[in-house]
PDB file of all heavy atoms in Angstrom:
ATOM      1  N   GLU A 255      17.912   7.177 -10.936  1.00 77.00           N
ATOM      2  CA  GLU A 255      18.446   5.819 -11.048  1.00 77.00           C
ATOM      3  C   GLU A 255      17.911   4.970  -9.926  1.00 77.00           C
ATOM      4  O   GLU A 255      17.520   3.844 -10.109  1.00 77.00           O
ATOM      5  CB  GLU A 255      19.982   5.844 -11.064  1.00 77.00           C
ATOM      6  CG  GLU A 255      20.618   6.427 -12.328  1.00 77.00           C
ATOM      7  CD  GLU A 255      20.666   7.931 -12.288  1.00 77.00           C
ATOM      8  OE1 GLU A 255      20.123   8.537 -11.313  1.00 77.00           O
ATOM      9  OE2 GLU A 255      21.196   8.547 -13.245  1.00 77.00           O
ATOM     10  N   THR A 256      17.926   5.471  -8.685  1.00 80.00           N
ATOM     11  CA  THR A 256      17.440   4.709  -7.541  1.00 80.00           C
ATOM     12  C   THR A 256      15.976   4.409  -7.679  1.00 80.00           C
ATOM     13  O   THR A 256      15.519   3.262  -7.448  1.00 80.00           O
ATOM     14  CB  THR A 256      17.687   5.540  -6.233  1.00 80.00           C
ATOM     15  OG1 THR A 256      19.024   5.825  -6.098  1.00 80.00           O
ATOM     16  CG2 THR A 256      17.141   4.755  -5.016  1.00 80.00           C
ATOM     17  N   THR A 257      15.183   5.421  -8.073  1.00 82.00           N
ATOM     18  CA  THR A 257      13.707   5.224  -8.251  1.00 82.00           C
ATOM     19  C   THR A 257      13.416   4.149  -9.308  1.00 82.00           C
ATOM     20  O   THR A 257      12.562   3.338  -9.134  1.00 82.00           O
ATOM     21  CB  THR A 257      13.056   6.588  -8.582  1.00 82.00           C
ATOM     22  OG1 THR A 257      13.272   7.487  -7.552  1.00 82.00           O
ATOM     23  CG2 THR A 257      11.570   6.369  -8.778  1.00 82.00           C
ATOM     24  N   LEU A 258      14.149   4.249 -10.413  1.00 84.00           N
ATOM     25  CA  LEU A 258      13.915   3.307 -11.511  1.00 84.00           C
ATOM     26  C   LEU A 258      14.269   1.891 -11.097  1.00 84.00           C
ATOM     27  O   LEU A 258      13.528   0.963 -11.429  1.00 84.00           O
ATOM     28  CB  LEU A 258      14.767   3.726 -12.721  1.00 84.00           C
ATOM     29  CG  LEU A 258      14.613   2.836 -13.983  1.00 84.00           C
ATOM     30  CD1 LEU A 258      13.138   2.834 -14.458  1.00 84.00           C
ATOM     31  CD2 LEU A 258      15.540   3.327 -15.133  1.00 84.00           C
ATOM     32  N   ALA A 259      15.359   1.709 -10.365  1.00 86.00           N
ATOM     33  CA  ALA A 259      15.738   0.356  -9.843  1.00 86.00           C
ATOM     34  C   ALA A 259      14.650  -0.194  -8.979  1.00 86.00           C
ATOM     35  O   ALA A 259      14.341  -1.409  -9.025  1.00 86.00           O
ATOM     36  CB  ALA A 259      17.037   0.439  -9.130  1.00 86.00           C
ATOM     37  N   GLN A 260      14.139   0.655  -8.077  1.00 88.00           N
ATOM     38  CA  GLN A 260      13.039   0.215  -7.198  1.00 88.00           C
ATOM     39  C   GLN A 260      11.806  -0.197  -7.968  1.00 88.00           C
ATOM     40  O   GLN A 260      11.181  -1.216  -7.748  1.00 88.00           O
ATOM     41  CB  GLN A 260      12.691   1.312  -6.209  1.00 88.00           C
ATOM     42  CG  GLN A 260      13.802   1.620  -5.183  1.00 88.00           C
ATOM     43  CD  GLN A 260      13.444   2.816  -4.307  1.00 88.00           C
ATOM     44  OE1 GLN A 260      12.488   3.539  -4.616  1.00 88.00           O
ATOM     45  NE2 GLN A 260      14.237   3.081  -3.307  1.00 88.00           N
ATOM     46  N   ARG A 261      11.448   0.648  -9.010  1.00 90.00           N
ATOM     47  CA  ARG A 261      10.266   0.357  -9.815  1.00 90.00           C
ATOM     48  C   ARG A 261      10.429  -1.000 -10.548  1.00 90.00           C
ATOM     49  O   ARG A 261       9.493  -1.816 -10.588  1.00 90.00           O
ATOM     50  CB  ARG A 261      10.017   1.485 -10.803  1.00 90.00           C
ATOM     51  CG  ARG A 261       9.614   2.820 -10.197  1.00 90.00           C
ATOM     52  CD  ARG A 261       8.282   2.779  -9.517  1.00 90.00           C
ATOM     53  NE  ARG A 261       7.808   4.130  -9.195  1.00 90.00           N
ATOM     54  CZ  ARG A 261       8.103   4.799  -8.120  1.00 90.00           C
ATOM     55  NH1 ARG A 261       8.958   4.308  -7.207  1.00 90.00           N
ATOM     56  NH2 ARG A 261       7.566   5.983  -7.938  1.00 90.00           N
ATOM     57  N   LEU A 262      11.598  -1.207 -11.083  1.00 90.00           N
ATOM     58  CA  LEU A 262      11.813  -2.465 -11.878  1.00 90.00           C
ATOM     59  C   LEU A 262      11.625  -3.666 -10.943  1.00 90.00           C
ATOM     60  O   LEU A 262      11.059  -4.719 -11.366  1.00 90.00           O
ATOM     61  CB  LEU A 262      13.219  -2.425 -12.508  1.00 90.00           C
ATOM     62  CG  LEU A 262      13.356  -1.435 -13.660  1.00 90.00           C
ATOM     63  CD1 LEU A 262      14.862  -1.425 -14.099  1.00 90.00           C
ATOM     64  CD2 LEU A 262      12.447  -1.853 -14.862  1.00 90.00           C
ATOM     65  N   SER A 263      12.227  -3.593  -9.742  1.00 91.00           N
ATOM     66  CA  SER A 263      12.052  -4.684  -8.780  1.00 91.00           C
ATOM     67  C   SER A 263      10.569  -4.924  -8.430  1.00 91.00           C
ATOM     68  O   SER A 263      10.091  -6.039  -8.398  1.00 91.00           O
ATOM     69  CB  SER A 263      12.841  -4.391  -7.488  1.00 91.00           C
ATOM     70  OG  SER A 263      12.593  -5.358  -6.515  1.00 91.00           O
ATOM     71  N   ILE A 264       9.820  -3.814  -8.236  1.00 93.00           N
ATOM     72  CA  ILE A 264       8.429  -3.905  -7.859  1.00 93.00           C
ATOM     73  C   ILE A 264       7.594  -4.507  -9.013  1.00 93.00           C
ATOM     74  O   ILE A 264       6.754  -5.361  -8.814  1.00 93.00           O
ATOM     75  CB  ILE A 264       7.860  -2.536  -7.506  1.00 93.00           C
ATOM     76  CG1 ILE A 264       8.525  -2.028  -6.179  1.00 93.00           C
ATOM     77  CG2 ILE A 264       6.378  -2.573  -7.343  1.00 93.00           C
ATOM     78  CD1 ILE A 264       8.245  -0.559  -5.854  1.00 93.00           C
ATOM     79  N   TRP A 265       7.842  -4.041 -10.254  1.00 94.00           N
ATOM     80  CA  TRP A 265       7.137  -4.548 -11.368  1.00 94.00           C
ATOM     81  C   TRP A 265       7.408  -5.993 -11.648  1.00 94.00           C
ATOM     82  O   TRP A 265       6.493  -6.759 -11.986  1.00 94.00           O
ATOM     83  CB  TRP A 265       7.440  -3.681 -12.617  1.00 94.00           C
ATOM     84  CG  TRP A 265       7.038  -2.226 -12.475  1.00 94.00           C
ATOM     85  CD1 TRP A 265       6.055  -1.779 -11.652  1.00 94.00           C
ATOM     86  CD2 TRP A 265       7.520  -1.122 -13.135  1.00 94.00           C
ATOM     87  NE1 TRP A 265       5.901  -0.408 -11.773  1.00 94.00           N
ATOM     88  CE2 TRP A 265       6.813   0.016 -12.690  1.00 94.00           C
ATOM     89  CE3 TRP A 265       8.571  -0.934 -14.096  1.00 94.00           C
ATOM     90  CZ2 TRP A 265       7.059   1.306 -13.175  1.00 94.00           C
ATOM     91  CZ3 TRP A 265       8.806   0.347 -14.595  1.00 94.00           C
ATOM     92  CH2 TRP A 265       8.131   1.458 -14.112  1.00 94.00           C
ATOM     93  N   GLN A 266       8.640  -6.449 -11.504  1.00 93.00           N
ATOM     94  CA  GLN A 266       8.936  -7.857 -11.699  1.00 93.00           C
ATOM     95  C   GLN A 266       8.266  -8.728 -10.673  1.00 93.00           C
ATOM     96  O   GLN A 266       7.692  -9.778 -11.025  1.00 93.00           O
ATOM     97  CB  GLN A 266      10.461  -8.022 -11.649  1.00 93.00           C
ATOM     98  CG  GLN A 266      11.237  -7.451 -12.828  1.00 93.00           C
ATOM     99  CD  GLN A 266      12.722  -7.474 -12.646  1.00 93.00           C
ATOM    100  OE1 GLN A 266      13.232  -7.862 -11.599  1.00 93.00           O
ATOM    101  NE2 GLN A 266      13.449  -7.057 -13.663  1.00 93.00           N
ATOM    102  N   THR A 267       8.290  -8.278  -9.453  1.00 93.00           N
ATOM    103  CA  THR A 267       7.584  -9.004  -8.357  1.00 93.00           C
ATOM    104  C   THR A 267       6.079  -9.039  -8.642  1.00 93.00           C
ATOM    105  O   THR A 267       5.422 -10.048  -8.438  1.00 93.00           O
ATOM    106  CB  THR A 267       7.878  -8.316  -7.006  1.00 93.00           C
ATOM    107  OG1 THR A 267       9.251  -8.276  -6.812  1.00 93.00           O
ATOM    108  CG2 THR A 267       7.200  -9.082  -5.924  1.00 93.00           C
ATOM    109  N   SER A 268       5.524  -7.926  -9.100  1.00 93.00           N
ATOM    110  CA  SER A 268       4.101  -7.865  -9.359  1.00 93.00           C
ATOM    111  C   SER A 268       3.646  -8.831 -10.449  1.00 93.00           C
ATOM    112  O   SER A 268       2.652  -9.536 -10.356  1.00 93.00           O
ATOM    113  CB  SER A 268       3.676  -6.428  -9.747  1.00 93.00           C
ATOM    114  OG  SER A 268       3.957  -5.511  -8.735  1.00 93.00           O
ATOM    115  N   LEU A 269       4.483  -8.941 -11.508  1.00 94.00           N
ATOM    116  CA  LEU A 269       4.184  -9.830 -12.589  1.00 94.00           C
ATOM    117  C   LEU A 269       4.208 -11.332 -12.123  1.00 94.00           C
ATOM    118  O   LEU A 269       3.374 -12.141 -12.555  1.00 94.00           O
ATOM    119  CB  LEU A 269       5.229  -9.691 -13.703  1.00 94.00           C
ATOM    120  CG  LEU A 269       5.064  -8.384 -14.553  1.00 94.00           C
ATOM    121  CD1 LEU A 269       6.244  -8.196 -15.448  1.00 94.00           C
ATOM    122  CD2 LEU A 269       3.750  -8.374 -15.314  1.00 94.00           C
ATOM    123  N   LYS A 270       5.109 -11.659 -11.213  1.00 92.00           N
ATOM    124  CA  LYS A 270       5.123 -12.957 -10.636  1.00 92.00           C
ATOM    125  C   LYS A 270       3.862 -13.237  -9.842  1.00 92.00           C
ATOM    126  O   LYS A 270       3.291 -14.364  -9.886  1.00 92.00           O
ATOM    127  CB  LYS A 270       6.401 -13.154  -9.803  1.00 92.00           C
ATOM    128  CG  LYS A 270       7.734 -13.127 -10.546  1.00 92.00           C
ATOM    129  CD  LYS A 270       8.889 -13.204  -9.601  1.00 92.00           C
ATOM    130  CE  LYS A 270      10.198 -13.133 -10.382  1.00 92.00           C
ATOM    131  NZ  LYS A 270      11.394 -13.120  -9.510  1.00 92.00           N
ATOM    132  N   GLY A 271       3.440 -12.254  -9.022  1.00 92.00           N
ATOM    133  CA  GLY A 271       2.193 -12.398  -8.288  1.00 92.00           C
ATOM    134  C   GLY A 271       0.984 -12.549  -9.152  1.00 92.00           C
ATOM    135  O   GLY A 271       0.074 -13.320  -8.862  1.00 92.00           O
ATOM    136  N   ILE A 272       0.954 -11.771 -10.208  1.00 94.00           N
ATOM    137  CA  ILE A 272      -0.192 -11.866 -11.159  1.00 94.00           C
ATOM    138  C   ILE A 272      -0.236 -13.268 -11.803  1.00 94.00           C
ATOM    139  O   ILE A 272      -1.333 -13.788 -12.001  1.00 94.00           O
ATOM    140  CB  ILE A 272      -0.041 -10.758 -12.274  1.00 94.00           C
ATOM    141  CG1 ILE A 272      -0.220  -9.380 -11.623  1.00 94.00           C
ATOM    142  CG2 ILE A 272      -1.101 -11.003 -13.371  1.00 94.00           C
ATOM    143  CD1 ILE A 272       0.131  -8.229 -12.524  1.00 94.00           C
ATOM    144  N   GLY A 273       0.960 -13.829 -12.062  1.00 92.00           N
ATOM    145  CA  GLY A 273       0.957 -15.195 -12.682  1.00 92.00           C
ATOM    146  C   GLY A 273       0.422 -16.198 -11.788  1.00 92.00           C
ATOM    147  O   GLY A 273      -0.129 -17.199 -12.249  1.00 92.00           O
TER     148      GLY A 273
END
Side-chain angles (χ1 to χ4, degrees):
E255 291 82 357
T256 301
T257 300
L258 182 58
Q260 292 173 351
R261 294 294 193 276
L262 289 175
S263 173
I264 293 169
W265 295 337
Q266 291 171 356
T267 304
S268 300
L269 289 171
K270 293 176 182 177
I272 293 169

